Amino acid sequence: MSESFSLSSLNEAQRDAVSTLDGPVLILAGAGTGKTRTVTCRIAHMLKKGIAPQNVLAVTFTNKSAVEMRERVCAMVDKKAGKLLTVCTFHSLCVRILREGIDKLGYKKNFTIYAGSDQVGLVKQLIVRKGGKDLNLDAMQVLSMISKNKNEGLAPDYHADDLVAEIAKAYEAELRTQNAVDFDDLMVLAERLLREHEDVRAVLQDKYRYITVDEFQDTNGLQMKLLKQLVGKPFNICVVGDDDQSIYGWRGADVTNILQFEKHYPNPKVILLEVNYRSSAAVLHVANSLIKNNIGRREKELKPHHPGGEKLRIISMPGDEEEAEFIAEEIMERHRVNKKPWEDFAVLFRTNQQSRNLEAAMRAFDIPYRVVGAQSFFDKKEVRDVMAYLQMFYNPLSDVPLLRILNAPPRGIGQGSILLITEASREREMSVWEAMANEEVLAELSTKVKKSVIAFTDLVTETRHRLLDQNNRENMGDVLKEFLETIDFGGWVQRSCKTDNEKEKRAEGIHDVVDYLRDASRQGKTLSQFLDRMALQEDRNDDDIEKQKGVCLITLHASKGLEFPIVYLVGLENGILPHKRSQAEGTVDEERRLLYVGITRAQDEMTMTYCSYRSKYGERVHCESSIFIKELDFEHITEHDYEDIMGAEASEEEQESFFSSLNDMLDDDED
DNA sequence: GTGTGACAATTTTTT
DNA sequence: ATTGTCACAC
């Protein structure tokens, strides 16, 4: 596809966005208004105008959108030029920046990235060490406080609770001595590096002359600060987003970034993308009627490209089981009678719990379905263990991965010995790895344990050299495989499995890591590059919801960016949507946006349901319909009752033609 | 080092 | 109802 063809296929606002390359640009792109197409065309246009691809940076929030954006730009431009573009996530960008210059902040360049369970493990340890165990202090909670603090740019000791401040400080110190950084640090340190080192800043500002930020409503304060450092004069920064789709406030996203963009970059060109190519007019009218109840938003309205459309339905259900069954049955019918493929349907819900009923109903009707979430590849224990081994090989001085696998599988270094070694390492101000090679420390251990420790360090050292030696022609995947066999890692994992199914899944997990590493090795990647990729989850394509078959069961949050011809949105009840906690937290607006996102997923048909009763934690409780329902424009909605529909259907079977026409007259007052 | 039972918690989730 | 965590026993 040639680029001029693309340009002519854009609407006026989109063209305006594409051709405005200089100075700050704010693109307010409503749902379904061709945002990605506009942004990718804009970047293609840059290259056509002679801007060097090396000078172009596009930052996204997820790897998925980074990959998509790159692919779509590459389809429009010269292959070679496309490869020279920088299209990546915030975190990936920070890793690149830091691998170059983190030494200027006193870290070594081979820093380790601690993620997820690494962080939790470390905090758990620190809670114990600081004597907060009896205080019911939860590691995850502490961690989220630490994270929030970092993202707000506060000092680590700035916490309401003294003990938390203690732990936060110790956490920072610990990461520092282990030459490790967490996900937040990637951002914090990259920002600091740019702010404190003019030379680094100058180089990067000169390199990235044209910057695009996608999903700008999801950025937080820290990401904004990083951008401020990265964007140099004449401020060729283009941000794209939609304040009405800001649904990640709970995770730090700061919607004022997009609302007050002018404060950071005065007199931007503001472009409104309002023509929606996705949904019917009816769907958009309802969506518009809801979202205008939010105050302090940027005024805009989705304008339908496709006129008319089926009215939306709101159906009251007696209980959550009927709700699920009704939907499953209807999907079944629509598939059978109207020949709609399963992939046309989606069922959206607020909380993951709600998927239970739905899954059960789908299974009962033999409807193929796909669910997002579940357990992701990288959270699997065996995968994390193997990754810990690799992290340790790369940098044995990082205690966290080392401690994770020190006795997994068991090799005669028990809890007591581990405690002794860690204590000894702290006393001597050395890493655990160094302590294990220290004669004095070894002398404190029993002969048996000492032998185990030496056997372990010897094996690790030998494997480590084979993995890191650039002159070694061996494939890293093969080295890992051999190592895992030597320690009988697979056997240990198998033994801990209860079912055959589990055995299979776990073995697969281990096998996959080996395969990934083998591939990376074949492509000439170093262990460091492989670990970065894995930490940033850049290889994650195993659970791409769009590639799976069947009816899509998905949370409202995860549905953002997707679209479906026929959508069901369940549980429109106070306490669920808006969620119970949002009242107290003052985030009802965000719940409204969440519903807005849900409605705008639908292309043709939209059905919303609420229940009178719902099973909650084993108890059957009464529910009332959502406050949001009365905000909707009922000109484009028909209301139904479960009993009536079922009654009508039952009759239909007996006296098909008569009752169905009567039913039409009663229920649908369309022309 | 692994298995059992009591006990609490229970929105959304990427990197 | 379900799921995970933790203490304790074997």
Side-chain angles (χ1 to χ4, degrees):
Chain A
M1 190 203 285
S2 87
E3 197 211 319
S4 56
F5 172 77
S6 306
L7 263 176
S8 64
S9 71
L10 298 170
N11 67 35
E12 204 184 320
Q14 290 173 332
R15 257 201 308 270
D16 201 9
V18 168
S19 54
T20 310
L21 300 182
D22 296 319
V25 177
L26 167 61
I27 302 177
L28 291 164
T33 56
K35 178 194 72 171
T36 308
R37 205 151 72 93
T38 306
V39 174
T40 49
C41 282
R42 190 171 179 274
I43 291 171
H45 188 65
M46 286 180 191
L47 302 189
K48 194 185 178 191
K49 283 277 164 183
I51 295 166
Q54 301 92 304
N55 293 335
V56 176
L57 168 68
V59 193
T60 64
F61 232 75
T62 65
N63 291 309
K64 201 183 127 201
S65 39
V67 169
E68 188 195 350
M69 194 178 290
R70 181 186 289 280
E71 280 174 356
R72 288 178 62 168
V73 175
C74 283
M76 287 185 263
V77 302
D78 178 60
K79 276 248 160 58
K80 244 165 78 188
K83 278 195 176 154
L84 294 169
L85 293 165
T86 308
V87 185
C88 65
T89 63
F90 270 105
H91 290 86
S92 167
L93 174 69
C94 291
V95 171
R96 288 167 205 218
I97 294 173
L98 292 173
R99 287 274 177 229
E100 276 299 308
I102 199 172
D103 50 325
K104 290 196 160 70
L105 297 175
Y107 286 77
K108 284 187 286 179
K109 281 186 177 177
N110 70 342
F111 61 87
T112 306
I113 302 168
Y114 284 178
S117 59
D118 298 334
Q119 301 178 60
V120 179
L122 180 52
V123 171
K124 265 189 186 154
Q125 245 182 53
L126 292 172
I127 290 177
V128 175
R129 201 190 300 168
K130 298 286 171 189
K133 221 183 162 220
D134 36 67
L135 273 148
N136 242 5
L137 215 50
D138 178 59
M140 302 267 244
Q141 267 172 32
V142 175
L143 208 48
S144 80
M145 283 190 270
I146 292 175
S147 169
K148 206 170 161 226
N149 184 307
K150 278 195 212 184
N151 280 293
E152 283 170 10
L154 303 166
D157 57 354
Y158 187 88
H159 282 280
D161 187 298
D162 283 349
L163 184 61
V164 175
E166 268 292 288
I167 294 167
K169 271 195 289 183
Y171 175 77
E172 290 312 309
E174 201 64 39
L175 286 180
R176 191 63 194 249
T177 55
Q178 294 183 34
N179 198 39
V181 302
D182 64 19
F183 273 114
D184 299 318
D185 289 335
L186 291 174
M187 210 74 74
V188 171
L189 295 174
E191 193 271 339
R192 186 189 305 161
L193 180 63
L194 288 182
R195 183 163 35 80
E196 292 177 356
H197 294 270
E198 207 190 328
D199 51 333
V200 180
R201 192 170 64 234
V203 167
L204 285 165
Q205 285 188 355
D206 187 56
K207 176 164 170 61
Y208 299 127
R209 295 182 189 188
Y210 290 84
I211 298 180
T212 308
V213 185
D214 192 24
E215 303 284 12
F216 191 63
Q217 78 282 349
D218 289 340
T219 54
N220 65 24
L222 186 51
Q223 284 151 347
M224 188 70 226
K225 276 170 76 182
L226 177 71
L227 284 173
K228 294 284 282 220
Q229 296 302 327
L230 201 56
V231 180
K233 279 182 183 167
F235 308 126
N236 297 326
I237 176 165
C238 171
V239 301
V240 194
D242 180 6
D243 49 311
D244 290 334
Q245 293 185 78
S246 163
I247 54 172
Y248 287 106
W250 51 274
R251 166 172 107 176
D254 185 357
V255 73
T256 60
N257 283 350
I258 194 165
L259 292 177
Q260 300 176 11
F261 181 70
E262 291 88 341
K263 277 198 179 162
H264 298 105
Y265 298 99
N267 306 316
K269 170 108 182 176
V270 180
I271 292 161
L272 246 61
L273 300 186
E274 292 186 300
V275 181
N276 175 295
Y277 298 93
R278 175 189 295 155
S279 310
S280 71
V283 168
L284 296 178
H285 279 131
V286 174
N288 285 330
S289 67
L290 173 75
I291 201 66
K292 70 170 186 238
N293 288 283
N294 269 0
I295 48 163
R297 55 186 280 269
R298 288 192 182 257
E299 278 303 318
K300 58 186 141 33
E301 197 171 65
L302 292 176
K303 298 180 176 144
H305 181 71
H306 308 297
E310 296 267 324
K311 287 199 179 192
L312 286 71
R313 293 185 300 170
I314 294 183
I315 312 178
S316 67
M317 301 282 179
D320 50 350
E321 276 167 27
E322 287 89 346
E323 181 181 56
E325 261 171 51
F326 172 86
I327 291 171
E329 199 178 336
E330 198 173 275
I331 291 177
M332 194 74 190
E333 279 303 294
R334 301 295 308 274
H335 174 75
R336 197 171 58 83
V337 179
N338 302 334
K339 303 276 177 278
K340 300 274 184 193
W342 301 120
E343 291 71 33
D344 276 10
F345 302 89
V347 189
L348 275 43
F349 39 83
R350 173 69 239 259
T351 71
N352 279 311
Q353 271 187 325
Q354 291 172 268
S355 76
R356 290 185 164 287
N357 284 327
L358 295 162
E359 283 184 66
M362 295 295 151
R363 271 197 296 270
F365 281 85
D366 256 327
I367 298 173
Y369 66 91
R370 49 195 166 140
V371 232
V372 272
Q375 212 196 10
S376 87
F377 177 71
F378 294 87
D379 296 331
K380 290 181 196 162
K381 190 181 172 300
E382 71 278 6
V383 173
R384 295 222 57 105
D385 283 342
V386 178
M387 291 309 296
Y389 271 106
L390 290 173
Q391 280 181 323
M392 176 194 62
F393 289 135
Y394 179 59
N395 184 3
L397 304 187
S398 339
D399 293 347
V400 172
L402 172 59
L403 290 172
R404 184 188 172 102
I405 49 77
L406 187 47
N407 201 35
R411 52 173 69 88
I413 310 171
Q415 285 279 289
S417 311
I418 291 178
L419 195 67
L420 196 146
I421 295 168
T422 12
E423 285 299 321
S425 79
R426 194 129 19 84
E427 278 165 26
R428 290 168 175 75
E429 294 186 318
M430 53 173 64
S431 72
V432 172
W433 175 256
E434 287 164 329
M436 289 198 301
N438 183 293
E439 283 304 331
E440 275 172 45
V441 179
L442 285 170
E444 288 180 51
L445 301 166
S446 70
T447 331
K448 216 170 138 195
V449 175
K450 185 177 165 181
K451 222 177 122 194
S452 304
V453 169
I454 291 172
F456 174 74
T457 49
D458 283 351
L459 177 62
V460 169
T461 305
E462 190 243 347
T463 312
R464 174 174 149 74
H465 287 311
R466 284 167 63 189
L467 285 171
L468 295 185
D469 182 5
Q470 295 293 321
N471 298 322
N472 189 355
R473 308 299 296 171
E474 276 180 301
N475 184 295
M476 292 191 293
D478 296 330
V479 177
L480 175 64
K481 187 159 184 272
E482 191 188 314
F483 172 81
L484 292 176
E485 276 160 11
T486 309
I487 63 171
D488 192 28
F489 185 82
W492 173 66
V493 169
Q494 294 289 298
R495 265 172 264 130
S496 71
C497 295
K498 287 190 186 97
T499 64
D500 281 355
N501 190 295
E502 200 185 345
K503 276 187 189 173
E504 211 174 292
K505 281 227 162 97
R506 294 250 177 135
E508 201 181 283
I510 300 167
H511 188 81
D512 285 347
V513 182
V514 172
D515 272 359
Y516 275 144
L517 182 60
R518 190 176 285 128
D519 277 355
S521 192
R522 239 180 243 135
Q523 291 166 29
K525 298 248 164 61
T526 64
L527 183 57
S528 166
Q529 286 167 325
F530 174 77
L531 288 172
D532 281 351
R533 279 190 78 79
M534 292 298 271
L536 297 170
Q537 310 203 358
E538 284 174 352
D539 283 296
R540 190 169 182 167
N541 51 8
D542 53 311
D543 54 6
D544 191 340
I545 192 76
E546 281 163 285
K547 285 190 188 130
Q548 293 172 46
K549 291 284 170 203
V551 174
C552 185
L553 308 184
I554 192 168
T555 62
L556 285 163
H557 281 93
S559 77
K560 198 178 76 168
L562 305 178
E563 58 183 17
F564 304 91
I566 304 169
V567 173
Y568 294 86
L569 210 161
V570 303
L572 266 175
E573 296 141 37
N574 287 338
I576 296 211
L577 187 65
H579 192 270
K580 200 154 129 273
R581 288 207 196 175
S582 66
Q583 286 279 351
E585 288 170 9
T587 54
V588 176
D589 279 11
E590 186 155 307
E591 300 286 308
R592 189 177 283 107
R593 282 180 231 129
L594 209 41
L595 176 54
Y596 174 77
V597 166
I599 295 173
T600 53
R601 293 316 93 198
Q603 294 171 319
D604 308 322
E605 294 175 42
M606 176 81 213
T607 304
M608 290 173 269
T609 62
Y610 61 90
C611 304
S612 304
Y613 286 91
R614 176 175 296 278
S615 302
K616 255 184 174 176
Y617 314 133
E619 258 183 318
R620 196 171 160 79
V621 294
H622 183 74
C623 307
E624 56 182 25
S625 64
S626 170
I627 49 164
F628 294 144
I629 291 182
K630 59 175 179 287
E631 299 175 1
L632 303 175
D633 177 7
F634 272 75
E635 269 201 32
H636 304 276
I637 293 175
T638 55
E639 272 191 288
H640 305 259
D641 184 78
Y642 175 80
E643 308 293 342
D644 295 349
I645 293 185
M646 296 314 271
E649 263 179 30
S651 315
E652 250 176 71
E653 278 162 33
E654 290 158 28
Q655 299 199 349
E656 237 185 84
S657 64
F658 174 73
F659 265 100
S660 69
S661 57
L662 180 64
N663 182 38
D664 280 349
M665 284 162 66
L666 287 174
D667 276 342
D668 298 73
D669 27 85
E670 10 170 40
D671 37 294

